[in-house]
Amino acid sequence: MHEENPLDRLIHQFQDRWETNPQYRAAMGGVFTLLLIVFLAVSTTVGSLVAGNVMAALGFGGGSTSTSQQQGLSGVQGANGQLFFPTQTTQIWTDGATPDAGTVSPSG
């Protein structure tokens, strides 16, 4: 017979404890769950940073626009660092000039 290497021995010990000890199985389940949550959080953060940098490099946002770029846009003005689109109001209401709503026909 040949000698087991340390990794095989460790795997066999883990498997034996997993199959025979419910408390160990519950503890390892919690550890694996915690490791999975940390892995998902880290991979999501890294993926978001990489995607943001790629989008910024391609010119699809991700970075702050300078004031010279803001001035080049037509119809957009900066107010306190925020962009807004001015609209023209064509209807002017004066006191006492309420439009006639008409009557609603009775439902049949």
Side-chain angles (χ1 to χ4, degrees), residues 7 10 17-19 24 26 45 48 52 56 75 82-83 86 95 103 108:
L7 183 60
L10 184 67
R17 288 185 72 184
W18 181 270
E19 291 174 352
Y24 180 78
T45 303
S48 175
Q82 305 240 343
L83 298 178
D95 289 337
T103 58

Side-chain angles (χ1 to χ4, degrees), residues 38-105:
V38 168
F39 171 75
L40 289 174
V42 168
S43 62
T44 302
T45 303
V46 169
S48 175
L49 290 172
V50 168
N53 288 337
V54 168
M55 295 297 280
L58 294 175
F60 291 111
S64 62
T65 58
S66 65
T67 55
S68 62
Q69 289 174 336
Q70 290 177 2
Q71 292 171 352
L73 299 174
S74 62
V76 178
Q77 298 175 358
N80 298 330
Q82 305 240 343
L83 298 178
F84 68 94
F85 297 90
T87 57
Q88 297 293 330
T89 305
T90 57
Q91 181 66 39
I92 299 174
W93 300 99
T94 58
D95 289 337
T98 308
D100 184 22
T103 58
V104 178
S105 60

Side-chain angles (χ1 to χ4, degrees), residues 3-22:
E3 185 90 16
E4 276 190 337
N5 65 22
L7 183 60
D8 283 341
R9 194 175 320 116
L10 184 67
I11 291 172
H12 284 289
Q13 286 175 353
F14 174 82
Q15 181 182 6
D16 183 54
R17 288 185 72 184
W18 181 270
E19 291 174 352
T20 59
N21 189 347

